[in-house]
Amino acid sequence: MAKSETSVGSEDPSSSRPWESYHTVFTNAKAGMEGVDKEKVQRIVYEMSKGSKYFENEEKKEAYTKQKIENMRIQYSKLTAQDISHHQKIADKRILELEATRDLSRIWLHVDMDAFYAAVETLCNPSLKGRPMAVGSMSMLSTANYEARKFGVRAAMPGFIARKLCPELLFVPVDFQKYNHYSNLTRKVFQKYDPNFLAASLDEAYLDITSVCKERGITSGEVAEELRESVHLETGLTCSAGVAPNRLLAKVCSDINKPNGQFVLPNDRSAVVTFISSLPIRKIGGIGKVTERILKDVFGIATCEEMLQKSSFLCGLFSRSSADFFLSIGLGLGGTDTPQYRTRKSISNERTFSATEDEALLFQKLVDLSEMLSADMKKEGLFGRTLTLKLKTASFEVRSRAVTLPSYISSSEEILKHASKLLKAEFPVSLRLMGLRMSHFSEDKNGIPLDPTQKTLSNFILSGAASGVRTSDYRPLVSDVCDNTFSVDENCCPTYCAETSCDLRDSSKESKASDSTYSCHVIGNINEELNETVVPQSSEPQPKVHEPTDTDHTIKSDKVDSYMGQLEASSCDRWEIGVNCTNDEAGSVSDQKQLFLWVDDYKCPICGIEMPPSFIEERQEHSDFHLAEKLQGEESGNHHRSFLPPQRAAQRGHTGSSSRQKKKQKSSPTASKYVPIDAFFVKTNQNF
């Protein structure tokens, strides 16, 4: 494959056609593009893209793909005859096991609307009929009608490239409200044939028509014909259908006679094997551009049948799940059972726009997304806790930032509040796409935590649960952590994290963190008196409660950085935060110096969640929730110290006496102003 080995956009003097090696989604054929001059499309896309940020990103992706192929070739060359024989036995056995799962008793129909968005616009504006038209703008196209596809215009293509391919192309703005309306009309028709149909998108669905065929005594082809006619009568739109023994093949079949056609694959093993044998691997859902190139360039696999012929190599060089997927394709196997109803895991929306670094404009985009997400959630009665912000930069780098909240939310105001903080952490940045996703839903859909026994900090104080701990008997947090290992439900903690390879940490801050004085920064969120309560470094109990001043409430970033220290958490128990609790060291807090410290100024030492230093309030709440979890664990266990084995209790008593013989450590100059947060609960509880 000489073409694939030429880097994207490389100007090799010996090659006068550099566009031939330019692989993009725009050059992949769709229904209605069979007679398109592919070389012309590749050349125009190459010339229009060259020098752009998109082109640079494609070059990076191409380099990564080439490296991946090269690595696979190296592994391929290392396989000995003995290895191949061994993996062939494994493959033969696995093929027999997969063949035993073949189910030819079900009849599945896949229906796909023809150029749905464009067809809806043409239906609403008949003057567009017969003219090349695309839904979208000069920035990006959502779809194109079949007249435009003859020129190589397709969905997911920038409008300016499409206009170059087809100078007469008309642009129509996107109208999702209109598309949703017609989608609902089609789904009413689908329900008549399968009440439990699976909607794959606005314009396609899977239907199990087995019972319809049996009950009415008609063939699957007749059901498909009738369904397509019903959709046309209900909406005025055409659709294509594919019928097969499983969903994977049904989707392939629906694309064969597009537009406004159908194809039926009989429920017969020989018919399935014959059909799949010559089918190009790219026709299968789940095999994209990169996988196709690896299979072709490394193994020489171009059709589904060849996957079985090269089964030993697939089993030898791919994981068990990937190998099973490839072998299933070679056998023509797919899903046949009706998936059980599953609750929604997430809900999201996103929008693409011209690249901009205007913060005001980006915030307005965020406002719109927050309102849309909130409206969608309220429509389904959903409340969520984990909010994710998706960003695509002007250089096509994709980032995501997430925050897990202490309570369930659905209002646009709450969504915008937390999404804004995530976005601010990225500035300055130039973006071309923004999206919001909410997940971690409440099952009862009313915002109440799933665990009815889970208490809030306020309830904990008001219930008098803290009154059993005497201030005079209080021990520092580190000693308690040493004596008792906790288990924490991460779902109950407010957490912020970054899900990207980009490092937000400033190297200068890291160096400050390593040299800083270790301290514990525990923040309460019940009332103003808990906004700056820090566990002291002195092991002596503090009898006096600090009354916060205005200065105490002002937290500068450099002061927060001084609290941070580097910490290596135990891989076995992340609650053992680097503190040695044995022998004479257990009673001394000042010797240990590591209480609640953000690892590398970024990561929680208890749950491992990453949270940027700029999220000051959230980091304060996060540490407070971990401490609250500990206090509630003590309350539910009726003071864990009483459950310690006698030997352990004796050891602790000895340790405490030994530590008192040591030279007194100097306290922090401000230590007398603070009390531990649970000691504060005991003090304030007397006032309720």
Side-chain angles (χ1 to χ4, degrees):
M1 288 294 182
K3 291 182 182 180
S4 63
E5 295 184 20
T6 305
S7 63
V8 174
S10 61
E11 298 283 2
D12 189 345
S14 63
S15 174
S16 60
R17 301 171 181 271
W19 55 81
E20 290 185 349
S21 62
Y22 188 54
H23 303 278
T24 72
V25 68
F26 313 139
T27 56
N28 295 326
K30 284 180 66 71
M33 298 177 66
E34 289 78 11
V36 174
D37 185 347
K38 188 174 181 180
E39 183 178 347
K40 177 185 176 182
V41 174
Q42 281 185 308
R43 178 174 57 82
I44 292 177
V45 170
Y46 172 83
E47 292 173 350
M48 297 293 290
S49 303
K50 188 177 180 181
S52 66
K53 294 292 184 181
Y54 174 82
F55 187 87
E56 293 174 2
N57 187 63
E58 287 296 304
E59 282 187 314
K60 293 178 183 177
K61 289 163 63 176
E62 177 68 11
Y64 171 78
T65 302
K66 288 180 61 179
Q67 185 61 50
K68 198 170 184 178
I69 291 173
E70 185 60 31
N71 292 339
M72 188 68 74
R73 281 175 173 165
I74 293 173
Q75 296 179 44
Y76 182 90
S77 63
K78 290 181 179 179
L79 290 176
T80 64
Q82 186 178 0
D83 293 332
I84 295 174
S85 176
H86 170 71
H87 290 301
Q88 186 62 60
K89 293 178 181 178
I90 295 176
D92 292 341
K93 179 181 178 182
R94 191 61 189 141
I95 289 173
L96 291 175
E97 293 173 348
L98 291 171
E99 180 63 41
T101 66
R102 187 185 298 276
D103 182 7
L104 298 173
S105 64
R106 313 302 299 177
I107 304 174
W108 280 93
L109 182 148
H110 179 261
V111 57
D112 191 2
M113 304 300 295
D114 299 323
F116 183 54
Y117 293 177
V120 170
E121 296 295 345
T122 303
L123 185 66
C124 298
N125 183 5
S127 65
L128 297 173
K129 189 173 183 178
R131 305 172 66 183
M133 178 267 290
V135 177
S137 64
M138 290 293 285
S139 298
M140 186 60 62
L141 302 183
S142 295
T143 191
N145 63 6
Y146 287 94
E147 286 76 13
R149 294 184 187 185
K150 295 176 183 178
F151 295 88
V153 178
R154 54 158 294 160
M157 175 179 284
F160 65 89
I161 294 179
R163 178 63 63 83
K164 183 72 174 179
L165 292 170
C166 179
E168 304 298 323
L169 184 67
L170 301 175
F171 292 100
V172 178
V174 176
D175 187 348
F176 281 101
Q177 184 175 0
K178 190 186 300 181
Y179 310 146
N180 273 291
H181 169 72
Y182 281 94
S183 177
N184 291 332
L185 294 179
T186 62
R187 292 179 180 185
K188 289 180 180 178
V189 176
F190 300 159
Q191 274 193 318
K192 296 177 182 178
Y193 295 87
D194 181 9
N196 300 316
F197 74 92
L198 307 175
S201 63
L202 285 177
D203 63 337
E204 62 177 313
Y206 294 92
L207 291 78
D208 185 350
I209 58 173
T210 308
S211 58
V212 174
C213 294
K214 290 181 179 180
E215 292 171 1
R216 297 175 55 185
I218 57 178
T219 64
S220 57
E222 292 172 332
V223 173
E225 185 75 33
E226 182 182 301
L227 182 144
R228 291 174 46 243
E229 182 65 26
S230 299
V231 169
H232 185 264
L233 291 175
E234 184 71 24
T235 64
L237 304 172
T238 63
C239 63
S240 300
V243 180
N246 58 63
R247 292 190 294 274
L248 181 141
L249 295 177
K251 182 172 177 61
V252 176
C253 292
S254 66
D255 197 53
I256 293 177
N257 289 322
K258 264 185 168 292
N260 196 24
Q262 65 184 54
F263 182 88
V264 179
L265 180 63
N267 281 39
D268 179 75
R269 185 184 183 281
S270 60
V272 170
V273 172
T274 302
F275 175 80
I276 203 74
S277 61
S278 59
L279 192 68
I281 56 176
R282 190 61 187 274
K283 291 286 186 180
I284 302 296
I287 296 183
K289 178 178 67 175
V290 175
T291 304
E292 178 190 30
R293 289 188 59 192
I294 291 175
L295 292 176
K296 282 185 177 180
D297 294 357
V298 179
F299 305 98
I301 297 176
T303 64
C304 296
E305 182 183 34
E306 291 172 342
M307 288 187 174
L308 296 182
Q309 298 171 1
K310 303 292 180 68
S311 59
S312 60
F313 299 102
L314 296 178
C315 288
L317 298 179
F318 288 95
S319 66
R320 167 70 179 268
S321 58
S322 296
D324 282 357
F325 173 68
F326 294 141
L327 295 179
S328 296
I329 291 173
L331 293 169
L333 301 177
T336 58
D337 58 322
T338 301
Q340 297 297 319
Y341 173 77
R342 294 183 297 177
T343 57
R344 178 189 282 274
K345 298 297 182 182
S346 65
I347 187 169
S348 63
N349 54 49
E350 64 182 46
R351 290 294 180 268
T352 302
F353 42 85
S354 299
T356 179
E357 56 185 9
D358 186 337
E359 294 185 7
L361 180 59
L362 292 175
F363 270 115
Q364 184 56 50
K365 298 286 186 184
L366 194 63
V367 170
D368 297 339
L369 288 170
S370 299
E371 292 176 351
M372 286 189 289
L373 181 60
S374 177
D376 291 342
M377 291 178 65
K378 290 178 179 178
K379 184 178 179 181
E380 298 191 29
L382 297 172
F383 291 79
R385 281 184 58 196
T386 299
L387 178 66
T388 302
L389 173 68
K390 177 184 176 182
L391 305 172
K392 183 181 287 186
T393 66
S395 59
F396 291 85
E397 174 194 2
V398 178
R399 307 176 183 175
S400 62
R401 301 287 183 267
V403 53
T404 299
L405 308 170
S407 59
Y408 296 91
I409 64 171
S410 66
S411 68
S412 59
E413 294 80 9
E414 287 290 329
I415 293 173
L416 180 62
K417 171 186 173 183
H418 297 286
S420 298
K421 294 178 182 178
L422 295 172
L423 181 61
K424 285 179 182 177
E426 299 302 306
F427 287 148
V429 66
S430 179
L431 300 176
R432 55 175 287 107
L433 178 145
M434 189 182 300
L436 285 176
R437 180 176 74 247
M438 185 67 76
S439 57
H440 197 166
F441 296 125
S442 167
E443 288 188 356
D444 52 14
K445 300 184 180 182
N446 60 7
I448 298 176
L450 302 182
D451 184 3
T453 65
Q454 178 65 44
K455 298 180 181 179
T456 64
L457 281 172
S458 300
N459 290 339
F460 177 73
I461 298 172
L462 294 173
S463 65
S467 60
V469 181
R470 295 179 298 173
T471 307
S472 59
D473 292 338
Y474 173 73
R475 295 192 178 201
L477 175 62
V478 173
S479 178
D480 288 341
V481 172
C482 297
D483 295 331
N484 188 37
T485 300
F486 305 98
S487 61
V488 62
D489 184 357
E490 293 182 0
N491 296 338
C492 301
C493 303
T495 57
Y496 286 78
C497 65
E499 300 174 355
T500 182
S501 58
C502 300
D503 196 346
L504 297 180
R505 288 170 280 184
D506 188 345
S507 58
S508 62
K509 290 185 178 181
E510 288 186 0
S511 62
K512 290 180 182 179
S514 62
D515 297 331
S516 63
T517 300
Y518 291 97
S519 180
C520 177
H521 200 191
V522 182
I523 305 302
N525 61 347
I526 300 174
N527 50 45
E528 296 181 357
E529 290 183 321
L530 291 178
N531 285 342
E532 181 77 3
T533 304
V534 181
V535 176
Q537 292 188 359
S538 173
S539 61
E540 296 295 329
Q542 305 296 319
K544 183 178 180 180
V545 177
H546 167 57
E547 298 295 336
T549 63
D550 294 338
T551 305
D552 296 326
H553 291 287
T554 305
I555 304 177
K556 297 181 180 179
S557 60
D558 57 341
K559 180 181 176 182
V560 174
D561 290 341
S562 69
Y563 289 139
M564 310 307 173
Q566 294 182 346
L567 179 66
E568 182 176 357
S570 168
S571 60
C572 299
D573 192 340
R574 299 166 86 172
W575 273 98
E576 295 179 13
I577 53 177
V579 179
N580 189 347
C581 302
T582 61
N583 301 328
D584 295 340
E585 298 178 9
S588 176
V589 179
S590 57
D591 286 344
Q592 292 146 3
K593 291 187 177 181
Q594 294 181 345
L595 304 179
F596 193 94
L597 310 172
W598 293 89
V599 180
D600 294 331
D601 196 14
Y602 206 74
K603 184 182 293 184
C604 173
I606 296 175
C607 63
I609 288 298
E610 296 180 344
M611 193 181 301
S614 58
F615 289 82
I616 298 173
E617 295 180 3
E618 288 73 17
R619 287 168 70 126
Q620 295 170 351
E621 294 177 1
H622 186 79
S623 59
D624 189 42
F625 265 78
H626 278 313
L627 190 53
E629 183 75 13
K630 170 191 174 299
L631 294 174
Q632 292 174 15
E634 289 180 348
E635 183 267 337
S636 62
N638 192 21
H639 308 307
H640 66 276
R641 295 185 181 90
S642 62
F643 293 96
L644 290 172
Q647 297 87 345
R648 179 62 175 150
Q651 183 185 0
R652 285 185 49 183
H654 173 72
T655 302
S657 61
S658 299
S659 63
R660 285 192 291 272
Q661 296 174 4
K662 287 189 174 184
K663 182 178 178 181
K664 256 192 174 179
Q665 301 292 334
K666 288 186 177 181
S667 302
S668 170
T670 58
S672 60
K673 298 181 179 180
Y674 302 93
V675 295
I677 190 170
D678 48 353
F680 178 84
F681 290 165
V682 176
K683 183 76 174 176
T684 56
N685 187 48
Q686 301 171 3
N687 299 326
F688 284 96

